[in-house]
Amino acid sequence: MGVAVRILLLGNVAGFAAALIQSRDTAQLVQQTAELAAVIEPVLLLSLMSLYALSKWLSRRHYVLGVALVMLLVAVWTTLVLKLSMITGETTTSFGMARAWILCAMLTVIVVAYFFWRRRAYSPALADARLQALQARIRPHFLFNSINAVLSLMRSDPQRAEAALEDLAELFRALMQDNRQLSTLADELALCRQYLNLEQLRLGERLRVDWDIEAMPGDALVPQLLLQPLVENAIYHGIEPGMDPGTVRIQIVRDRKQVRLLLSNPYHPDYQHRAGNRMALANIRERLALHFDVEASLATQVAGERFEIRIVLPYRRQE
């Protein structure tokens, strides 16, 4: 979606710029814009549909060959659109056809150059480095408290202490593994439960979790370590500042081609670590953008006495 939107925007902006250059007054600008739109819009839409259908095949070609094929495809659609306009009664001179070819070729070069620049800016090495920097890191106080909780159980409940150490090891294994690939929602949920088991040792009855995941698509692909930092954030900002027991609510549902996640926790306006909260959410928002571009969103709001985080993701499964 993000690629298609960018192509449409670039095409229309370039068309308007060309009409603006050729026009001397408002009336001529309107006429030129309409004439160019009659060619640019159908060529853009037909090219997008063709490129979508051929995307997998084109991705296996050499980059230079792929660009040449895209240029050829746009030239073919430009010719067909102009021929069709001539059949329907519109007059198109040889100069007009040549101008249309040149404009569409220039527009294609601009779009290809933009995506080449964007590819360089978001190259795999840079994206990996940014993802590594943005990955949530467990706060030192959590590790300290978890180890103390395990030590307190070593004699009274050794089996529970062993299970807690296994959860802690699994959590750190997830932090250290390669995060270039997406993870399934089921795996993220299992990791989140292990984290909550450790926090339960420390907080006891103060921490309550309300799960609403019956309609959750477990095979949906999501960025690794998406849920655990959100839950850690909810406990840090919503449970720890309060004296009474608090509930963290987690709802995950599939809505057609989207996955919707709602996480809420008690809101204590007088005891908020605002800077840390904004940083954590900004990091997750950027990770979503790196993986899903404009198809994913993250929004927050205060609803009464609760702080809510809403995430929308495209529903994608492992091929």
Side-chain angles (χ1 to χ4, degrees):
M1 184 185 298
V3 172
V5 169
R6 289 183 178 91
I7 291 176
L8 290 173
L9 286 175
L10 288 171
N12 284 281
V13 169
F16 180 77
L20 191 63
I21 292 172
Q22 299 177 62
S23 303
R24 294 188 298 270
D25 51 39
T26 306
Q28 191 176 10
L29 175 62
V30 173
Q31 181 183 355
Q32 291 286 346
T33 302
E35 291 178 359
L36 287 172
V39 177
I40 291 177
E41 297 302 332
V43 171
L44 276 174
L45 294 175
L46 290 169
S47 298
L48 279 176
M49 289 187 290
S50 302
L51 290 173
Y52 178 76
L54 298 172
S55 59
K56 291 185 178 180
W57 180 78
L58 282 172
S59 65
R60 294 193 292 269
R61 309 277 80 83
H62 189 272
Y63 181 75
V64 176
L65 176 60
V67 171
L69 291 172
V70 171
M71 297 284 291
L72 178 62
L73 184 66
V74 174
V76 170
W77 283 124
T78 303
T79 304
L80 290 177
V81 169
L82 289 174
K83 292 292 185 182
L84 182 61
S85 66
M86 294 173 66
I87 294 174
T88 56
E90 296 184 16
T91 58
T92 302
T93 63
S94 299
F95 174 76
M97 183 170 289
R99 186 183 68 171
W101 280 335
I102 293 172
L103 288 174
C104 287
M106 291 175 61
L107 176 57
T108 305
V109 170
I110 291 172
V111 173
V112 169
Y114 165 76
F115 281 110
F116 179 78
W117 168 83
R118 192 171 186 274
R119 177 190 174 196
R120 293 289 298 271
Y122 290 91
S123 63
L126 179 58
D128 289 347
R130 296 182 70 188
L131 283 172
Q132 290 286 351
L134 291 172
Q135 283 290 359
R137 296 301 181 223
I138 295 178
R139 296 184 178 93
H141 83 278
F142 166 75
L143 176 61
F144 176 78
N145 291 330
S146 297
I147 292 176
N148 281 339
V150 170
L151 289 175
S152 67
L153 291 173
M154 290 295 288
R155 293 184 178 179
S156 60
D157 196 344
Q159 291 185 345
R160 192 179 179 189
E162 182 180 356
L165 285 175
E166 291 175 353
D167 289 337
L168 190 61
E170 185 66 20
L171 199 58
F172 274 90
R173 183 195 65 79
L175 282 170
M176 297 173 64
Q177 68 183 7
D178 185 4
N179 55 28
R180 288 175 294 181
Q181 302 298 323
L182 296 172
S183 174
T184 64
L185 199 51
D187 290 340
E188 288 298 300
L189 192 65
L191 188 67
C192 186
R193 289 184 184 275
Q194 290 174 321
Y195 170 78
L196 286 169
N197 290 338
L198 292 168
E199 288 286 36
Q200 200 81 56
L201 292 176
R202 180 171 64 92
L203 297 171
E205 293 298 322
R206 289 178 58 198
L207 173 60
R208 299 173 183 174
V209 183
D210 182 11
W211 298 94
D212 183 4
I213 55 175
E214 288 77 12
M216 180 193 78
D219 58 350
L221 294 176
V222 298
Q224 290 187 3
L225 292 173
L226 174 70
L227 288 177
Q228 184 273 329
L230 290 175
V231 174
E232 183 177 1
N233 214 45
I235 293 173
Y236 184 60
H237 296 282
I239 305 300
E240 289 184 0
M243 300 301 296
D244 299 325
T247 301
V248 175
R249 296 194 179 100
I250 302 173
Q251 180 188 62
I252 307 174
V253 297
R254 176 186 172 186
D255 182 10
R256 296 182 182 178
K257 295 184 179 181
Q258 292 181 325
V259 178
R260 297 182 179 273
L261 186 149
L262 170 63
L263 188 144
S264 69
N265 56 266
Y267 180 66
H268 307 282
D270 297 331
Y271 300 97
Q272 288 296 300
H273 310 280
R274 297 183 185 276
N277 195 17
R278 285 197 301 267
M279 185 180 298
L281 294 177
N283 286 351
I284 293 175
R285 186 179 285 110
E286 187 167 356
R287 289 170 58 203
L288 291 172
L290 283 172
H291 281 295
F292 299 114
D293 202 1
V294 298
E295 295 182 75
S297 63
L298 184 152
T300 62
Q301 68 174 3
V302 178
E305 297 183 348
R306 298 190 68 81
F307 181 80
E308 296 182 348
I309 300 174
R310 296 179 182 271
I311 295 179
V312 179
L313 300 167
Y315 177 48
R316 296 180 184 173
R317 294 180 293 178
Q318 189 73 41
E319 294 184 359

